[in-house]
Amino acid sequence: MNAKRDMPLSGKRVLVTRAAHQAGELSARLRELGAEPIEYPVIAIAPPKDLGRLDQALARAARGGYDWIVFTSANGVAAVAERMAALGLEGMGFGQARVAVIGPATARAAAELLRRPADVMPSAYVAEALAEAMGDVRGQSILLARADIARPALPQALRAAGAQVDEVIAYRTVTEEPAITRQPDVLSLLAQGQIDAITFTSSSTVRAFIARVGRQALSDLHRVVIACIGPITAEAARAEGLSPTVVAEEYTVNGLVTALVRYYGRQTYGR
């Protein structure tokens, strides 16, 4: 018996589009299940162009000036931890503020990088559910440190609930410039039918990928399994002309891989 051939993703070549510093976890999981991951980062993380508002907000947070600190991504946590260290604020904590996170990866980052366990995490890892999970926030002050391109749903919901929200840019999502010497010729692989699935872990990866490969590649993409980490990313894919085949029920990397395994299981065994 060939153990590798019997693995659930054996023989599947899967494109990983997330940022290079985050691709390893997904690639490793795919490899464990027999797939051949191809890392093709289309986005990268950069600091804000102007650090002034973030620095002011972090200084206030270190003085205990907020009721809540909210993170919607591990990148946001990493950016805040890095900036607090640069300002000499590491180890000062956030006073009595409660910490809300959008999902388990963000919670792990808060615990590891800020030594601050999360107080609140919703059961569904989307902004709308996070606002609901925070409960009654009337009159409370909230620091929301996140990406420049984040959806407005969360601050809108918190303000509608009566909170005072300081929404500051902790990091920017930028298009990763392709390094010709290390990136695969994805257009050729797609045209030759040598890619089985493409994974998207955020709306920004969808948009950056289409910008990279060009709309002329859409006909080839329709022959590929489009796997999205959740409904927001799937909606972005549809807006770009793609047809998501797989949408994870748990909006995490593990959830995405599980959904892929389930899809190929149905294709192979009808289950």
Side-chain angles (χ1 to χ4, degrees):
M1 183 174 72
N2 187 323
K4 188 175 180 62
R5 189 179 302 160
D6 291 339
M7 298 170 80
L9 295 179
S10 292
K12 305 302 180 189
R13 186 175 279 171
V14 182
L15 206 63
V16 176
T17 60
R18 67 186 329 201
H21 73 285
Q22 293 179 310
E25 178 188 5
L26 177 53
S27 294
R29 186 71 184 122
L30 291 168
R31 200 175 289 112
E32 286 172 0
L33 296 169
E36 178 191 347
I38 299 176
E39 294 188 5
Y40 187 65
V42 295
I43 62 170
I45 304 304
K49 291 181 178 178
D50 181 359
L51 290 164
R53 285 201 64 214
L54 176 62
D55 289 355
Q56 291 175 13
L58 294 180
R60 177 179 168 182
R63 295 194 301 269
Y66 290 101
D67 298 300
W68 289 91
I69 312 295
V70 179
F71 296 109
T72 56
S73 72
N75 285 326
V77 175
V80 164
E82 181 177 336
R83 198 59 201 156
M84 290 188 80
L87 296 170
L89 300 175
E90 72 271 32
M92 293 186 67
F94 302 122
Q96 298 300 311
R98 303 178 74 192
V99 171
V101 301
I102 203 164
T106 311
R108 284 196 299 275
E112 293 170 5
L113 301 179
L114 295 171
R115 301 184 185 284
R116 184 65 169 81
D119 299 294
V120 169
M121 183 177 74
S123 55
Y125 309 142
V126 294
E128 291 82 352
L130 179 57
E132 185 175 346
M134 290 170 65
D136 185 358
V137 293
R138 277 177 298 179
Q140 298 190 356
S141 57
I142 297 174
L143 171 57
L144 175 55
R146 60 184 194 156
D148 58 331
I149 58 171
R151 293 190 304 132
L154 181 55
Q156 287 175 351
L158 294 172
R159 289 180 178 124
Q164 298 173 344
V165 182
D166 275 355
E167 183 183 4
V168 297
I169 297 173
Y171 66 96
R172 291 180 297 132
T173 299
V174 299
T175 302
E176 172 76 290
E177 294 298 326
I180 295 174
T181 55
R182 65 177 170 79
Q183 293 225 334
D185 185 351
V186 166
L187 281 175
S188 294
L189 293 174
L190 287 169
Q192 295 164 15
Q194 295 187 26
I195 291 177
D196 297 288
I198 304 175
T199 56
F200 293 112
T201 53
S202 67
S203 299
S204 57
T205 59
V206 175
R207 290 189 284 268
F209 178 79
I210 293 298
R212 173 81 62 81
V213 301
R215 295 197 170 276
Q216 69 275 14
L218 282 175
S219 58
D220 294 326
L221 293 172
H222 286 303
R223 297 196 293 266
V224 178
V225 171
I226 302 297
C228 298
I229 201 166
I232 303 298
T233 303
E235 184 178 329
R238 293 187 191 94
E240 294 294 338
L242 302 177
S243 300
T245 319
V246 171
V247 181
E249 295 179 4
E250 179 186 298
Y251 314 148
T252 64
V253 165
N254 276 336
L256 179 60
V257 174
T258 298
L260 259 181
V261 169
R262 188 175 297 131
Y263 170 78
Y264 281 118
R266 285 197 301 268
Q267 299 300 305
T268 304
Y269 305 109
R271 57 179 170 80

